[in-house]
Amino acid sequence: DAGVTQSPTHLIKTRGQQVTLRCSPKSGHDTVSWYQQALGQGPQFIFQYYEEEERQRGNFPDRFSGHQFPNYSSELNVNALLLGDSALYLCASSLRTSVNTEAFFGQGTRLTVV
Amino acid sequence: LAKTTQPISMDSYEGQEVNITCSHNNIATNDYITWYQQFPSQGPRFIIQGYKTKVTNEVASLFIPADRKSSTLSLPRVSLSDTAVYYCLVGELPTGGSYIPTFGRGTSLIVHP
């Protein structure tokens, strides 16, 4: 059973460019959340998707957008990249009807903005 | 959300028991306590969840006193591979939507040979 998979694993972009990161949730999961983790910090919640709609959003600007597809996979898009967007981007999947606090994380995409 | 406070870092040696305490003075009646573990360049991994008293699984134990204002994650006989960051989270079980873990800075545990 494949867990959460993210691609690419590493990425280098230039300031002002746009980037798309991808996530496939764990089999059977219908909800995907995205997090940004700066060096030395805990992961910060960006947004959560289920039923192909953004359901909750953290304190991130509109440059951060996402999408969820009918197969539950998801994309995170970041426009007009800033140096400060350099971070590990994590995807977490879960089941909407779950009543516990367990989320499954992928290994992340390391984004470097130069 | 209840604020959590935990030590920034801890050191231990192989074979010792490690106890990481988390303070959450403003925990609400419906809040549960959850711990996650994160290795470098990997996503966090769920360790254990509890509401009160003691919970034990194959990885760790979680001790929660009666007032629930703190909790202690206990790792028995640590090895070098337990070197990681450990996060204490407090929040309600999800209703009508998936749980959204909210992370602080965590405790960086270093296990020495």
Side-chain angles (χ1 to χ4, degrees):
Chain A
D1 174 27
V4 179
T5 57
Q6 294 186 240
S7 63
T9 54
H10 295 81
L11 202 52
I12 300 175
K13 289 287 190 178
T14 304
R15 271 184 305 175
Q17 285 189 317
Q18 177 264 346
V19 69
T20 298
L21 311 181
R22 295 176 176 81
C23 172
S24 292
K26 180 178 169 63
S27 177
H29 285 180
D30 58 5
T31 299
V32 173
S33 301
W34 286 92
Y35 288 78
Q36 179 195 66
Q37 186 173 23
L39 205 58
Q41 305 294 319
Q44 299 300 302
F45 173 70
I46 303 175
F47 41 56
Q48 183 181 83
Y49 276 82
Y50 58 85
E51 294 180 347
E52 303 179 45
E53 289 190 21
E54 181 183 300
R55 299 295 179 169
Q56 290 199 56
R57 189 179 184 93
N59 187 26
F60 279 81
D62 292 345
R63 298 187 298 109
F64 290 78
S65 63
H67 188 77
Q68 186 180 36
F69 299 93
N71 67 354
Y72 307 120
S73 67
S74 176
E75 289 182 349
L76 164 66
N77 300 294
V78 186
N79 293 324
L81 284 167
L82 305 173
L83 296 179
D85 294 331
S86 295
L88 180 68
Y89 288 85
L90 295 161
C91 168
S93 78
S94 55
L95 189 58
R96 181 183 171 190
T97 55
S98 174
V99 292
N100 66 30
T101 56
E102 184 172 8
F104 293 80
F105 285 80
Q107 292 207 342
T109 294
R110 173 72 63 185
L111 173 65
T112 302
V113 182
V114 297
Chain B
L1 290 173
K3 179 178 169 59
T4 60
T5 303
Q6 51 183 124
I8 293 175
S9 64
M10 294 182 68
D11 289 87
S12 184
Y13 292 89
E14 283 190 292
Q16 290 190 334
E17 178 184 72
V18 171
N19 295 308
I20 306 174
T21 297
C22 179
S23 172
H24 28 79
N25 291 318
N26 296 323
I27 190 168
T29 302
N30 295 332
D31 285 343
Y32 278 69
I33 299 154
T34 307
W35 286 80
Y36 277 76
Q37 173 193 55
Q38 185 177 26
F39 298 114
S41 297
Q42 292 189 27
R45 182 176 73 109
F46 173 91
I47 301 175
I48 198 165
Q49 167 195 315
Y51 184 80
K52 61 180 179 180
T53 63
K54 176 183 174 182
V55 180
T56 298
N57 62 22
E58 64 278 6
V59 176
S61 294
L62 178 59
F63 298 92
I64 306 168
D67 67 5
R68 302 197 332 119
K69 293 184 183 297
S70 66
S71 59
T72 299
L73 176 73
S74 181
L75 305 173
R77 297 180 298 281
V78 294
S79 64
L80 296 177
S81 63
D82 292 315
T83 294
V85 178
Y86 292 83
Y87 297 96
C88 167
L89 288 70
V90 172
E92 292 188 32
L93 293 183
T95 55
S98 286
Y99 177 71
I100 298 174
T102 301
F103 295 88
R105 292 194 62 178
T107 297
S108 177
L109 171 66
I110 298 176
V111 179
H112 302 275

